[in-house]
Amino acid sequence: MRKRRILSYLLVVWMAFLLAFPMTTAFASSKVYHVPIHDEVERGLHAFLERAFKEAEENYAEAIILDIHTPGGFVNAASDIAMLMDESSIRTIAYINKDAHSAGAFLALHADEIYMVPNGTIGAAAVIDSAGNAADLKANSAWLAQMKAAAETSNRDPKYALAMADTRMDLPEFRAGGDNLLTLSASEAFDVGYSEGTVLNFQELLAATELKGSDIVPVDPTFSEKLARFITNPIIVPILLSIASLGLVMELYSPGFGVPGIMGLSSLGLFFFGHMIAGFAGYETLLIFIAGLALVIAEFFVPGGIVGILGGVLILISLLLAGANMSQMIMSIFIAFVVAIIGMVILMKFFGKKMHVFNKLVLKDATTTEEGYVSNINRTDLLGKVGKTITPLRPAGTMQLGSERIDIVSEGSYIDAGKDVEIIKVEGSRIVVRPTKKEMEE
């Protein structure tokens, strides 16, 4: 009986210990983060992936599956994302869920493993500029080196990575060479070691990678991140800045503050919002812009021009600092400036608009004679009166008329002092005289 009691006590203590310190780690399933890389690869995508990788690391994820379906994108953005993947200690799997072209192929090569759907493709990774033309030799050489390094890092034959970006690589068995870049199908990628396998769907991928039964954590971009990706696109940035510049220019030609001004400020607000969400701009950049805008507004009330110039410089600095790429931002600002100039010319030449913003700064009223204003007393009552010169007239001088001394000017000839003169003309403050007939006879 006593032994039973002791055993019961020990069992209760053991159960209490288990309840106090549950062995969760023994029964918890591993976490796998499912992250999409869809549409174009750009700088906004980097900010989203940075958040996804950070969350995966904080939650001790076993693997990150990158669901890739992209036509490519921008080299600088792809390079930053690849660096993010290389720095992560978590197992990364590229799941090519249709196409991984250009920058997409480059990112797939930085993953630890690559799996493809049966109709998936990988390749076509030539560098092109914003106009759709082949990049210059310098940019192309750097990209080829990066493609080769990506393949070698993942222990894959680099000649296929080079053929994806360079038509000089001749691989006729894969339709590459001449004018064609290498693009591998799922089966071809598996044959040359550019894929670990072909799977029908995501569940087969989990089974093939021994992750079946794991807790799948989908990571989708938030609305703010989607908006930031759109706004920070290098094609959208110059359009946004052009709308802002055109709206503010139109506001200068409009009475009061209306739709053009709201349009301009809203475009600038979207620009800074997107770049702050994407992590390219901080609050200090926004404060620099606000300070510059305040100085430009103050220029309308403080003469000199220095305040306005300083404000304009601060605005330009804030835009450059907020941008993801300095050269792209310079080009975007230049485009916006050209659009603003064209807008001003159209408004002035074709619509005859004037800058209403300066109406309060420029004096428009005039005190004309027609409206009853005179600059001095017009002494027309002096016409025909005779007085005596006090000083010689050469031709200006002074005369005495009764008790009044008057400044006068002769009609042209010299008149000595003490001579009688007649007032023949009054033009404002100018009083013209000539000798009287009596003086001329003498």
Side-chain angles (χ1 to χ4, degrees), residues 71 73 77 155 170 188-189 216 227 270 302 305 317 321 324 393:
N155 296 318
D170 190 25
E188 290 170 338
I216 306 301
L227 183 61
L270 282 173
V302 180
I317 290 175
L321 291 177
L393 304 185

Side-chain angles (χ1 to χ4, degrees), residues 229-280:
R229 286 189 64 180
F230 176 77
I231 291 172
T232 56
N233 190 300
I235 297 174
I236 299 300
V237 169
I239 296 175
L240 204 60
L241 293 182
S242 296
I243 294 173
S245 64
L246 188 60
L248 294 177
V249 164
M250 291 176 63
E251 186 60 36
L252 295 177
Y253 292 88
S254 304
F257 187 82
V259 175
I262 295 173
M263 179 179 68
L265 292 179
S266 298
S267 297
L268 288 173
L270 282 173
F271 170 83
F272 280 101
F273 170 78
H275 284 74
M276 289 177 70
I277 292 296
F280 305 136

Side-chain angles (χ1 to χ4, degrees), residues 141-204:
S141 176
W143 178 244
L144 289 174
Q146 290 184 66
M147 286 291 292
K148 180 181 179 181
E152 290 176 340
T153 302
S154 54
N155 296 318
R156 305 181 194 277
D157 191 338
K159 73 176 182 180
Y160 299 107
L162 290 172
M164 291 178 182
D166 191 353
T167 56
R168 293 174 298 180
M169 295 293 294
D170 190 25
L171 296 173
E173 66 273 26
F174 297 112
R175 308 162 304 282
D179 296 328
N180 298 321
L181 295 169
L182 175 63
T183 301
L184 297 172
S185 66
S187 59
E188 290 170 338
F190 179 76
D191 291 339
V192 300
Y194 269 54
S195 167
E196 272 65 47
T198 303
V199 294
L200 290 174
N201 50 45
F202 189 76
Q203 293 303 319
E204 278 197 16

Side-chain angles (χ1 to χ4, degrees), residues 177-386:
D179 296 328
N180 298 321
L181 295 169
L182 175 63
T183 301
L184 297 172
S185 66
S187 59
E188 290 170 338
F190 179 76
D191 291 339
V192 300
Y194 269 54
S195 167
E196 272 65 47
T198 303
V199 294
L200 290 174
N201 50 45
F202 189 76
Q203 293 303 319
E204 278 197 16
L205 172 68
L206 294 176
T209 54
E210 299 181 353
L211 294 173
K212 195 170 184 179
S214 299
D215 185 9
I216 306 301
V217 182
V219 183
D220 295 313
T222 63
F223 173 77
S224 297
E225 288 172 335
K226 290 179 181 178
L227 183 61
R229 286 189 64 180
F230 176 77
I231 291 172
T232 56
N233 190 300
I235 297 174
I236 299 300
V237 169
I239 296 175
L240 204 60
L241 293 182
S242 296
I243 294 173
S245 64
L246 188 60
L248 294 177
V249 164
M250 291 176 63
E251 186 60 36
L252 295 177
Y253 292 88
S254 304
F257 187 82
V259 175
I262 295 173
M263 179 179 68
L265 292 179
S266 298
S267 297
L268 288 173
L270 282 173
F271 170 83
F272 280 101
F273 170 78
H275 284 74
M276 289 177 70
I277 292 296
F280 305 136
Y283 287 105
E284 68 282 356
T285 307
L286 183 60
L287 290 175
I288 292 173
F289 172 78
I290 294 173
L293 185 62
L295 289 176
V296 170
I297 295 173
E299 176 59 31
F300 295 119
F301 307 97
V302 180
I306 298 177
V307 174
I309 293 173
L310 180 59
V313 170
L314 288 179
I315 290 175
L316 287 176
I317 290 175
S318 67
L319 292 175
L320 291 173
L321 291 177
N325 183 278
M326 184 68 71
S327 60
Q328 289 176 352
M329 277 307 303
I330 292 174
M331 181 58 66
S332 299
I333 292 172
F334 176 75
I335 293 172
F337 179 75
V338 171
V339 169
I341 295 297
I342 294 173
M344 291 178 67
V345 171
I346 292 175
L347 288 172
M348 289 189 294
K349 294 293 184 181
F350 296 95
F351 295 95
K353 296 286 187 178
K354 295 182 179 179
M355 288 192 178
H356 290 274
V357 73
F358 294 121
N359 285 348
K360 296 181 179 180
L361 306 181
V362 179
L363 183 63
K364 299 292 184 181
D365 297 329
T367 54
T368 61
T369 304
E370 292 77 6
E371 295 180 354
Y373 293 96
V374 293
S375 59
N376 49 56
I377 299 173
N378 200 336
R379 299 295 300 277
T380 56
D381 59 307
L382 299 178
L383 285 171
K385 292 191 176 181
V386 178

